[in-house]
Coordinates of all heavy atoms in Angstrom, one line a residue:
F17 N 74.4 86.3 110.0 CA 74.3 86.1 108.5 C 75.3 85.0 108.0 O 75.0 84.1 107.3 CB 74.4 87.4 107.8 CG 74.5 87.4 106.3 CD1 73.7 86.6 105.6 CD2 75.3 88.3 105.7 CE1 73.9 86.6 104.2 CE2 75.4 88.5 104.4 CZ 74.7 87.6 103.6
M18 N 76.5 85.3 108.4 CA 77.6 84.4 108.0 C 77.4 82.9 108.5 O 77.9 82.0 107.9 CB 79.0 84.9 108.2 CG 79.4 85.9 107.3 SD 79.4 85.2 105.6 CE 78.1 86.1 104.9
E106 N 86.2 84.3 109.2 CA 85.6 85.2 108.4 C 86.5 86.4 108.1 O 87.4 86.7 109.0 CB 84.3 85.7 109.0 CG 83.1 85.2 108.2 CD 83.1 85.3 106.7 OE1 83.4 86.5 106.3 OE2 82.8 84.3 105.9
K107 N 86.2 87.2 107.1 CA 87.0 88.5 106.8 C 86.1 89.6 107.4 O 85.0 89.6 107.7 CB 87.1 88.6 105.3 CG 86.0 88.4 104.4 CD 84.7 89.0 104.8 CE 84.6 90.4 105.0 NZ 83.2 90.9 105.5
G136 N 88.0 83.6 105.3 CA 86.8 83.4 104.5 C 86.5 84.5 103.4 O 85.4 85.1 103.3
T138 N 85.3 84.4 100.6 CA 84.5 83.4 99.8 C 84.4 83.7 98.4 O 84.2 82.8 97.5 CB 83.1 83.4 100.5 OG1 83.2 83.5 101.8 CG2 82.3 82.1 100.0
Y139 N 84.4 85.0 98.0 CA 84.2 85.3 96.6 C 85.3 84.8 95.6 O 85.2 84.7 94.5 CB 83.9 86.7 96.4 CG 82.8 87.3 97.0 CD1 82.8 88.2 97.9 CD2 81.5 86.7 96.7 CE1 81.6 88.8 98.5 CE2 80.4 87.1 97.3 CZ 80.3 88.1 98.2 OH 79.2 88.6 98.9
Y167 N 82.7 97.3 95.5 CA 81.6 96.6 96.1 C 80.5 97.6 96.6 O 80.7 98.3 97.6 CB 82.3 95.8 97.3 CG 81.4 94.6 97.7 CD1 82.0 93.5 98.3 CD2 80.0 94.5 97.4 CE1 81.2 92.3 98.7 CE2 79.2 93.3 97.9 CZ 79.9 92.4 98.4 OH 79.0 91.3 98.8
Q169 N 76.5 98.3 97.9 CA 75.3 97.9 98.5 C 74.5 99.1 98.8 O 75.0 100.2 98.8 CB 75.5 97.0 99.7 CG 76.4 95.8 99.5 CD 76.6 95.0 100.8 OE1 76.4 95.4 101.9 NE2 76.9 93.7 100.6
W171 N 71.9 99.1 101.6 CA 71.0 98.8 102.8 C 71.1 99.8 103.9 O 70.3 99.8 104.7 CB 71.3 97.4 103.3 CG 72.8 97.1 103.8 CD1 73.8 97.0 103.0 CD2 73.2 97.0 105.0 NE1 74.9 96.8 103.7 CE2 74.6 96.8 105.0 CE3 72.6 97.0 106.4 CZ2 75.4 96.6 106.1 CZ3 73.4 96.8 107.4 CH2 74.8 96.6 107.3
R182 N 77.8 95.9 113.1 CA 78.5 96.2 111.7 C 78.6 97.8 111.7 O 79.5 98.2 110.8 CB 77.8 95.8 110.5 CG 77.8 94.3 110.4 CD 77.0 93.9 109.1 NE 76.8 92.4 109.1 CZ 77.7 91.6 108.5 NH1 78.7 92.0 107.9 NH2 77.4 90.3 108.5
D195 N 84.1 95.4 105.7 CA 83.1 94.6 105.6 C 83.1 94.2 104.1 O 83.2 92.9 103.8 CB 81.7 95.1 106.0 CG 80.7 94.1 105.8 OD1 80.9 92.9 105.9 OD2 79.5 94.5 105.7
I196 N 83.1 95.1 103.2 CA 82.9 94.7 101.8 C 84.1 95.2 100.8 O 84.4 94.5 100.0 CB 81.5 95.2 101.1 CG1 81.3 96.6 101.4 CG2 80.4 94.3 101.7 CD1 80.0 97.2 100.9
H199 N 86.8 92.6 100.6 CA 86.6 91.6 99.5 C 87.1 92.1 98.1 O 87.7 91.4 97.3 CB 85.0 91.3 99.2 CG 84.4 90.3 100.2 ND1 84.7 89.1 100.4 CD2 83.4 90.6 101.1 CE1 84.1 88.5 101.3 NE2 83.2 89.3 101.7
N277 N 74.0 94.1 95.8 CA 75.3 93.4 96.1 C 76.3 93.4 94.9 O 76.6 92.2 94.4 CB 75.0 92.0 96.6 CG 76.0 91.4 97.5 OD1 76.6 92.1 98.3 ND2 76.2 90.1 97.4
Y339 N 74.6 82.6 95.2 CA 75.4 83.0 96.4 C 76.0 81.9 97.3 O 77.2 81.9 97.6 CB 74.6 84.1 97.2 CG 75.3 84.6 98.4 CD1 76.4 85.5 98.3 CD2 74.8 84.2 99.6 CE1 77.0 86.0 99.3 CE2 75.5 84.8 100.7 CZ 76.5 85.7 100.6 OH 77.3 86.2 101.7
Ligands
SOE1 C1 80.8 88.3 104.5 O1 81.8 87.8 103.7 C2 80.2 89.6 103.9 O2 81.3 90.3 103.6 C3 79.3 90.3 104.7 O3 79.9 90.6 105.9 C4 78.7 91.5 104.0 O4 77.8 92.2 104.6 C5 78.0 90.7 102.7 O5 77.1 91.5 102.2 C6 79.1 90.2 101.9 O6 79.6 89.2 102.6

Side-chain angles (χ1 to χ4, degrees):
F17 172 39
M18 276 306 106
E106 253 309 311
K107 49 44 57 186
T138 320
Y139 296 123
Y167 200 154
Q169 300 179 340
W171 57 288
R182 289 176 191 272
D195 184 25
I196 52 179
H199 282 299
N277 203 34
Y339 178 69

